[in-house]
């Protein structure tokens, strides 16, 4: 085996999925085997299958999640009355946080996980304020994708949803607005 193959074996179970054509390939590729959720690995496999990952497009996944996290936070701030300067300042503050920037450039799934939880929570908060169950489902779906991204996703998602419930009770908005957000995480968790 060449050094490139050894590197793929330790770093990219997604390439193994694409090469073997099976979702069971991570048992032989990567370090975590089948115990790790396959969200990121399947995204990497799609790039490999579509164009052989020539660009390599899969390396753009993590900076794309970084940009989406910043844009999602900017959107939330603007929709809730922040001026453009304050919203851009929030983006710069979040984007300039060393650990967030490191995870965006090194390809860690922690950034994907953070994106799903943070933006999902913001969508749920927006749904509660607008009494919009569709936005609650979108937020719940994002939170559910967090479960499918990291092994501790179930615990963290439960904590996020519990915090959301406490927020609704503390502000006396009631839980009805965010109940649809619980459906996707329960389905994915099961």
């Amino acid at each position: 085996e060449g050094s490139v193959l050894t590197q793929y074996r330790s770093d990219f179970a997604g390439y193994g999925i694409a090469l073997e054509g099976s979702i069971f390939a991570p048992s032989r590729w990567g370090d975590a085997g089948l115990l790790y959720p396959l969200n990121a690995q399947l995204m990497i496999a799609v790039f490999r299958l579509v164009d052989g990952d020539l660009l390599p497009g899969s390396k753009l996944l993590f900076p794309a999640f970084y940009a989406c996290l910043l844009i999602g936070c900017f959107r939330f701030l603007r929709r809730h009355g922040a001026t453009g300067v304050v919203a851009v300042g929030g983006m710069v503050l979040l984007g300039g946080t060393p650990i967030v920037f490191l995870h965006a450039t090194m390809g860690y799934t922690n950034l994907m996980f953070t994106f799903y939880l943070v933006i999902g929570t913001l969508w749920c908060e927006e749904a509660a304020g607008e009494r919009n169950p569709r936005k609650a489902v979108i937020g719940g779906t994002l939170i559910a994708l967090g479960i499918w991204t990291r092994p501790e996703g179930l615990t963290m998602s439960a904590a996020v949803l519990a915090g959301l419930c406490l927020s609704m009770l503390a502000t006396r908005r009631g839980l009805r607005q965010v109940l649809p957000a619980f459906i996707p995480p329960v389905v994915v968790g099961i």
Side-chain angles (χ1 to χ4, degrees):
E1 291 182 34
S3 62
V4 172
L5 245 178
T6 305
Q7 178 185 357
Y8 289 159
R9 187 174 293 250
S10 65
D11 294 336
F12 300 112
Y15 285 123
I17 293 170
L19 290 172
E20 292 186 18
S22 170
I23 61 167
F24 297 107
S27 65
R28 293 172 294 286
W29 292 74
D31 295 334
L34 294 173
L35 298 174
Y36 203 84
L38 296 178
N39 187 358
Q41 291 82 352
L42 288 172
M43 286 187 221
I44 291 168
V46 167
F47 277 97
R48 180 71 176 187
L49 290 171
V50 170
D51 70 349
D53 208 16
L54 294 175
L55 293 176
S58 65
K59 298 293 185 230
L60 297 175
L61 279 174
F62 303 98
F65 273 93
Y66 177 63
C68 289
L69 177 66
L70 298 177
I71 291 167
C73 290
F74 176 83
R75 176 193 171 276
F76 181 81
L77 290 171
R78 287 295 289 159
R79 288 183 60 95
H80 288 84
T83 65
V85 173
V86 170
V88 169
M91 282 179 60
V92 169
L93 186 63
L94 177 63
T97 304
I99 191 75
V100 175
F101 185 77
L102 176 69
H103 284 229
T105 57
M106 297 299 290
Y108 295 133
T109 57
N110 292 350
L111 185 71
M112 296 170 79
F113 183 59
T114 301
F115 164 78
Y116 289 133
L117 292 182
V118 169
I119 301 301
T121 303
L122 295 180
W123 273 85
C124 289
E125 177 61 35
E126 204 169 288
E130 296 175 9
R131 299 182 185 273
N132 187 337
R134 291 181 179 168
K135 285 188 176 183
V137 171
I138 291 171
T141 301
L142 288 167
I143 292 169
L145 286 169
I147 295 171
W148 199 41
T149 303
R150 297 278 306 164
E152 63 275 6
L154 188 60
T155 307
M156 292 294 290
S157 295
V160 164
L161 291 171
L164 192 61
C165 287
L166 289 173
S167 169
M168 296 301 111
L169 293 173
T171 57
R172 295 194 170 120
R173 288 186 280 180
L175 294 175
R176 264 184 93 187
Q177 294 86 303
V178 294
L179 282 180
F182 283 79
I183 297 168
V186 167
V187 169
V188 171
I190 290 172

